[in-house]
Amino acid sequence: MRLEGKVALITGGARGQGAAEAKLFAKEGAKIVITDILDEEGSKIEAEIAEHGGECLYIHHDVSNSRDWEDVVNKTVEHFGKIDILLNNAGIAVWGTNDDTSEEIWDSVMDINAKGVFLGTKYVVPEMKKNGGGSIINVSSISGIIGQPTIQPVYNASKGAVRIFTKSTAVQYGKYGIRANSIHPGGVDTDMIAHITGDELRQQRIKETVPLQRIANPIEIAYGALFLASDESSYMTGSEMVMDGGVTAS
Ligand SMILES: NC(=O)c1ccc[n+]([C@@H]2O[C@H](COP(=O)([O-])OP(=O)(O)OC[C@H]3O[C@@H](n4cnc5c(N)ncnc54)[C@H](O)[C@@H]3O)[C@@H](O)[C@H]2O)c1
């Protein structure tokens, strides 16, 4: 029970990594709020956690909308009394090159991936201050560290923003006992990249570019998030946890 007595708010928790993290955190004793725009999937995860004896609340939430954030924070505090852990996980990816990036695509990717993290921090930090501390985990990517040929650079820009925003958060709120760290996964087997992993040529490319020769299972990323959420990482803030099978080592 590594999160006994803690309350965790996880965005993008209806599927993929966020759902794996919600289930793992609940197993470790946390009370969970998952938010997403996918209501059917989110409600299923809520029910699954309850079936296994956990406490979970699903709330509809667009992370790029400040009114939604106010609502989510109010409902979480009404329901569970506090927020100890904020996992800013929701995100979207766009494939192609910079030539494919319209102004609208730029704005929507930055709104969800970067502004979403800003708003989450803005609305949750006051609650964490009241509690005497908390742990913020922001999901960046290896795309926040290196350039890549197949993804629109706006995705890299958004994840780079998350990486440095996390460090600023750590520096500004450390005195309140609030820690902030970023997670940098390489390829993870979720719906986000399903179209890439299905193809034989792409599988070959994964073998050539990933030292561990495979992409991650969401639970492998969830275990990293669990460490950052728990008091086991109590002296870690402003850091980057890279979980990429060795991609950025070469
Ligand atoms: N899958 C990968 O290879 C990979 C690698 C590195 C980083 N990431 C990052 O990990 C995070 C989780 O992605 P995933 O792999 O689980 O993919 P996913 O697509 O399965 O999950 C993303 C979730 O975010 C939700 N979401 C999208 N827009 C939203 C919005 N405006 N408001 C609220 N929720 C919204 C989606 O509905 C979905 O449930 C993302 O931030 C992603 O950028 C993914």
Side-chain angles (χ1 to χ4, degrees):
M1 288 291 184
R2 294 162 70 185
L3 300 179
E4 181 99 67
K6 294 192 188 290
V7 176
L9 168 51
I10 303 175
T11 69
R15 68 180 195 191
Q17 295 173 62
E21 281 146 355
K23 288 189 251 180
L24 179 63
F25 285 18
K27 214 168 105 189
E28 292 294 340
K31 292 172 182 157
I32 310 292
V33 172
I34 49 174
T35 76
D36 210 295
I37 47 173
L38 301 176
D39 296 336
E40 210 181 305
E41 289 88 339
S43 299
K44 271 190 199 151
I45 301 297
E46 179 190 52
E48 208 182 304
I49 289 174
E51 272 164 32
H52 287 85
E55 283 188 66
C56 180
L57 176 69
Y58 170 73
I59 304 172
H60 179 91
H61 176 207
D62 174 355
V63 292
S64 65
N65 182 308
S66 57
R67 272 187 307 249
D68 276 13
W69 268 108
E70 266 183 276
D71 181 54
V72 163
V73 169
N74 287 338
K75 282 186 176 146
T76 303
V77 174
E78 263 167 44
H79 207 78
F80 290 131
K82 59 174 184 167
I83 306 173
D84 300 293
I85 299 156
L86 170 63
L87 177 42
N88 279 313
N89 163 76
I92 55 167
V94 277
W95 306 92
T97 69
N98 202 45
D99 297 344
D100 302 312
T101 310
S102 62
E103 199 176 335
E104 289 72 27
I105 291 176
W106 176 276
D107 287 344
S108 70
V109 173
M110 291 305 276
D111 273 0
I112 295 169
N113 293 3
K115 191 172 93 174
V117 172
F118 152 69
L119 289 174
T121 306
K122 187 173 180 59
Y123 284 95
V124 170
V125 157
E127 293 303 325
M128 289 184 165
K129 279 184 180 171
K130 283 186 210 161
N131 278 342
S135 175
I136 300 175
I137 304 151
N138 294 329
V139 182
S140 176
S141 164
I142 57 168
S143 308
I145 303 174
I146 56 170
Q148 292 154 306
T150 53
I151 199 149
Q152 292 186 35
V154 61
Y155 184 75
N156 299 81
S158 70
K159 293 301 188 181
V162 171
R163 176 182 165 272
I164 194 64
F165 183 80
T166 306
K167 293 184 197 301
S168 289
T169 303
V171 169
Q172 296 197 352
Y173 300 115
K175 63 183 170 207
Y176 301 106
I178 298 170
R179 301 185 293 110
N181 294 286
S182 52
I183 286 187
H184 301 262
V188 188
D189 192 7
T190 66
D191 288 327
M192 182 173 277
I193 63 164
H195 63 292
I196 291 187
T197 47
D199 172 318
E200 214 171 281
L201 262 176
R202 302 279 191 171
Q203 283 295 342
Q204 187 52 38
R205 175 108 184 101
I206 287 167
K207 286 216 167 95
E208 284 162 13
T209 54
V210 185
L212 289 182
Q213 304 217 319
R214 62 176 179 86
I215 58 169
N217 185 295
I219 192 69
E220 295 179 282
I221 309 304
Y223 277 118
L226 172 61
F227 172 68
L228 293 176
S230 78
D231 294 336
E232 294 157 17
S233 58
S234 52
Y235 199 58
M236 191 167 167
T237 195
S239 291
E240 297 163 36
M241 182 182 270
V242 179
M243 293 178 278
D244 68 349
V247 171
T248 54
S250 59

